[in-house]
Amino acid sequence: MDLFTDRLRELSGSVCFDEPMKKHTTFQVGGPAEVFVTPQTVSEMASVVRLCREFGKPYFILGNGSNLLVSDEGYRGVVIHVGHAFEEIRIEESRIFAGAGAALARMAAKARDASLSGLEFASGIPGTVGGALVMNAGAYGGEMAQVVCGATVLTKNGEEKRLDRAMLQMGYRKSCILPMEYIVTEVELALEPGDKGQICLKMEELAVRRKEKQPLEYPSAGSTFKRPEGFFAGKLVMDAGLRGFSVGGACVSEKHCGFVVNKGGASATDILELCRQVRGQVLKKFGVALELEIRLLGEFEHPYS
């Protein structure tokens, strides 16, 4: 470990140890990351990845942790944070080029200000552009696959590669990024010229709907379960009589049953156990197995099943 950390410090000036992951997730839970590094350039990130692979150290790419549950024991590996150095957004006619660390809502605001339509759905999604591409984030009938036309990534060997829309293989809450172990550095989107007033109106309407229907007042990771084919996850949970059901500080939102929230003092174990019990009840009553939309990081005593 000493040799690895010495080499890592030579590559990056932003390295810390035993970093509490509750500071980096919207659930506000999670134990420490063994190593936490924030590269400042693409080449620095590539070098960190190559070093991890050289030493056989597991690593995880982190945006703003808005779709992530980290175990209470933390993560025995290297968290590579795609931070402020990757937040640049530039607009060229109807194209937007955004760094993977840019906030999705900020990119939507930039598009609005440039009278470009197509990102209204993203205005209230709390993730980063890179994370949104990885999971093909979407809301209110829109999703990233509708506007993305390409991306620049690093391969697991630290080589830069350009992917077009077809190569990204985007589907419901998925893309090729995780299976291929790519790291997104920049995303290119193609939008349509629109009326700024109408774009603003649409974004305001969606903001009102979010505030009315989503538990924004509590820490959460957004929609907890993927939408099963032919069903809505939140309705299944509600119809199973689980509105307000809790385990420790974790609770099925009373406002929207598709959200699990941290009502105060929840542990990662509480949250995952709640999800397990919800899955079991929905499976028993309706024969539908709910799949997690949130990602898990670290070791959990009881798997989600």
Side-chain angles (χ1 to χ4, degrees):
M1 185 68 175
D2 289 342
L3 179 58
F4 173 79
T5 55
D6 288 344
R7 292 272 301 279
L8 187 60
R9 283 194 175 104
E10 291 173 4
L11 293 175
S12 177
S14 180
V15 182
C16 53
F17 303 92
D18 296 324
E19 176 71 5
M21 289 299 291
K22 66 182 180 181
K23 293 167 53 178
H24 301 281
T25 66
T26 55
F27 259 136
Q28 298 179 13
V29 302
E34 183 179 18
V35 183
F36 191 95
V37 56
T38 306
Q40 299 303 303
T41 65
V42 173
S43 61
E44 186 179 314
M45 181 177 290
S47 295
V48 170
V49 169
R50 283 192 289 263
L51 184 67
C52 289
R53 290 181 60 80
E54 178 185 340
F55 279 80
K57 295 289 293 184
Y59 61 89
F60 181 85
I61 309 303
L62 176 73
N64 75 339
S66 61
N67 195 44
L68 183 67
L69 179 64
V70 181
S71 80
D72 300 313
E73 302 303 316
Y75 178 60
R76 296 287 297 175
V78 181
V79 171
I80 302 175
H81 182 215
V82 183
H84 296 304
F86 294 86
E87 290 183 343
E88 181 184 1
I89 298 173
R90 69 184 190 278
I91 298 176
E92 298 178 8
E93 296 182 344
S94 61
R95 297 290 175 105
I96 292 186
F97 298 83
L104 194 58
R106 177 169 160 256
M107 183 174 66
K110 290 275 190 181
R112 174 201 63 204
D113 294 344
S115 298
L116 294 174
S117 179
L119 275 175
E120 291 87 341
F121 76 90
S123 59
I125 298 177
T128 59
V129 173
L133 178 68
V134 170
M135 297 301 291
N136 187 19
Y140 298 109
E143 62 180 7
M144 290 295 287
Q146 297 169 356
V147 291
V148 168
C149 58
T152 303
V153 302
L154 290 175
T155 70
K156 60 185 178 182
N157 295 318
E159 300 167 346
E160 202 165 49
K161 185 174 183 176
R162 170 73 182 176
L163 304 177
D164 62 24
R165 186 201 301 264
M167 295 168 69
L168 286 166
Q169 301 175 32
M170 301 179 77
Y172 176 65
R173 300 299 175 263
K174 65 180 181 180
S175 69
C176 74
I177 303 298
L178 291 182
M180 297 300 294
E181 299 182 55
Y182 291 147
I183 301 172
V184 181
T185 58
E186 185 180 71
V187 179
E188 179 183 353
L189 301 97
L191 303 180
E192 296 289 337
D195 178 82
K196 186 175 179 180
Q198 290 299 313
I199 295 169
C200 288
L201 183 60
K202 180 65 174 178
M203 291 171 73
E204 289 167 2
E205 289 174 355
L206 294 182
V208 170
R209 290 172 66 182
R210 283 189 176 92
K211 188 172 182 180
E212 288 177 347
K213 297 185 178 181
Q214 296 182 13
L216 304 180
E217 65 273 25
Y218 293 110
S220 78
S223 296
T224 306
F225 306 100
K226 292 183 179 179
R227 184 180 68 241
E229 187 173 353
F231 299 91
F232 291 99
K235 189 173 189 310
L236 288 171
V237 176
M238 179 180 68
D239 291 348
L242 297 172
R243 183 189 297 274
F245 175 68
S246 64
V247 172
C251 180
V252 173
S253 169
E254 295 184 6
K255 186 181 286 187
H256 190 315
C257 291
F259 286 64
V260 170
V261 300
N262 178 359
K263 292 198 76 171
S267 66
T269 300
D270 290 340
I271 293 169
L272 190 61
E273 178 60 23
L274 175 64
C275 292
R276 289 178 67 249
Q277 292 194 33
V278 167
R279 181 186 188 276
Q281 288 298 313
V282 170
L283 183 62
K284 180 179 178 180
K285 293 193 175 186
F286 305 111
V288 178
L290 293 177
E291 183 180 351
L292 284 179
E293 185 167 317
I294 58 176
R295 297 179 66 190
L296 304 179
L297 180 65
E299 296 183 3
F300 291 85
E301 183 176 355
H302 301 293
Y304 177 76
S305 61

